[in-house]
């Protein structure tokens, strides 16, 4: 059994690595190493995610997909979720999510027992479907509220579109121009870690300026 961790940020402005330490700590508490990481900034409502596809291609029967929460894995609509579930089931993969306690037992030695494994699969399959549906509803509700807010702002002549965080962009630019004590410049990953943003945001500032 390999544990494959999947981290996802919804947009380029979010830090997909935010929950990395939580997953490391969780795996350590269960005495299992994380074999590989798959990190991307993409909408959970999209079925076309490069790193998720790569994970599914790399995984072997019995492997575990470790996520912070089910909504990190999916905010898919019903048909796309069914297709993803079918792929998980076909490859014999188990999903372990920090927000789904019953799934944690998949990391227990007892889960190797055939009867226990079948019971766990049945229970967690039902819970996975439920939480995936909840995640999709939350996504749709937020999108609806966002549209309503935009329409209201437009009606009042207040809508200006999404604004850049100029303070953050200026801090990123300053770090990119700075150096370590030994004269080395800060890498894109260094800057993203210090600022608490995605590497995509740092790359954008590096390319376009603040």
């Amino acid at each position: 059994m390999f544990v494959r961790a999947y981290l996802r940020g919804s947009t380029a402005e979010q830090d997909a690595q935010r929950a990395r330490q939580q997953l490391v700590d969780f795996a350590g508490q269960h005495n299992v190493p994380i074999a590989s990481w798959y990190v991307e900034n993409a909408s959970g409502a999209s079925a076309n995610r490069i790193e998720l596809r790569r994970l599914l291609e790399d995984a072997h029967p019995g492997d575990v997909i470790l996520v912070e929460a089910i909504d990190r894995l999916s905010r898919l609509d019903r048909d796309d979720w069914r297709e993803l579930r079918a792929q998980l089931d076909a490859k014999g993969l188990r999903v372990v999510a920090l927000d789904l306690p019953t799934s944690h037992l998949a990391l227990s030695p007892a889960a190797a027992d055939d009867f226990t494994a079948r019971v766990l699969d049945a229970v967690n399959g039902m819970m996975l479907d439920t939480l995936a549906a909840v995640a999709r509803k939350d996504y749709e509700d937020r999108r609806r509220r966002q549209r309503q807010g935009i329409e209201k702002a437009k009606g009042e002549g207040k809508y200006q579109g999404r604004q850049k965080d100029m303070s953050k962009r200026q801090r990123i630019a300053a770090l990119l121009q700075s150096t370590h004590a030994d004269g080395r410049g800060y890498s894109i990953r260094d800057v993203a870690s210090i600022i608490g943003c995605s590497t995509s945001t740092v790359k954008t500032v590096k390319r376009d300026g603040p």
Side-chain angles (χ1 to χ4, degrees):
M1 175 186 73
F2 286 97
V3 175
R4 302 177 185 275
Y6 178 70
L7 294 169
R8 181 184 66 80
S10 297
T11 69
E13 296 299 319
Q14 291 186 353
D15 182 11
Q17 297 273 5
R18 173 186 54 79
R20 188 183 186 102
Q21 191 57 49
Q22 283 181 273
L23 298 190
V24 169
D25 293 342
F26 176 82
Q29 291 165 7
H30 289 80
N31 298 312
V32 293
I34 295 177
S36 54
W37 293 86
Y38 302 82
V39 184
E40 64 186 335
N41 286 85
S43 171
S46 171
N48 185 25
R49 281 176 266 158
I50 295 174
E51 285 298 284
L52 180 58
R53 294 295 112 198
R54 188 168 71 87
L55 187 160
L56 292 172
E57 290 172 1
D58 291 348
H60 301 285
D63 285 357
V64 165
I65 300 176
L66 178 62
V67 293
E68 175 195 9
I70 297 303
D71 65 10
R72 297 300 86 195
L73 180 65
S74 172
R75 288 188 184 275
L76 299 168
D77 62 25
R78 182 175 61 180
D79 291 340
D80 284 340
W81 169 245
R82 283 178 174 174
E83 182 177 346
L84 178 57
R85 269 296 310 274
Q87 292 174 338
L88 295 173
D89 292 342
K91 297 208 70 169
L93 307 180
R94 290 178 178 158
V95 175
V96 173
L98 272 58
D99 68 340
L100 181 55
T102 56
S103 70
H104 301 178
L105 293 174
L107 299 178
S108 167
D113 171 75
D114 182 64
F115 174 76
T116 303
R118 291 175 64 182
V119 171
L120 283 174
D121 289 343
V123 171
N124 287 317
M126 178 182 67
M127 294 301 297
L128 267 176
D129 287 339
T130 300
L131 291 180
V134 170
R136 178 65 186 189
K137 184 177 186 303
D138 177 68
Y139 169 80
E140 292 175 343
D141 287 347
R142 287 191 296 107
R143 296 271 290 183
R144 184 181 67 253
R145 290 193 296 269
Q146 184 182 51
R147 287 194 299 270
Q148 291 171 342
I150 290 174
E151 289 304 315
K152 180 180 179 181
K154 284 181 176 179
E156 297 173 352
K158 298 178 180 178
Y159 182 67
Q160 298 179 342
R162 187 174 181 178
Q163 302 299 303
K164 295 179 180 179
D165 186 338
M166 297 307 298
S167 175
K168 177 187 287 185
R169 293 173 72 92
Q170 288 167 359
R171 286 184 288 135
I172 291 171
L175 273 174
L176 287 170
Q177 295 172 5
S178 302
T179 59
H180 290 277
D182 60 4
R184 290 184 299 109
Y186 286 91
S187 69
I188 288 174
R189 191 171 293 279
D190 288 340
V191 175
S193 177
I194 293 170
I195 299 295
C197 66
S198 69
T199 55
S200 297
T201 299
V202 179
K203 291 176 182 176
T204 298
V205 175
K206 185 175 182 178
R207 183 186 68 237
D208 301 335

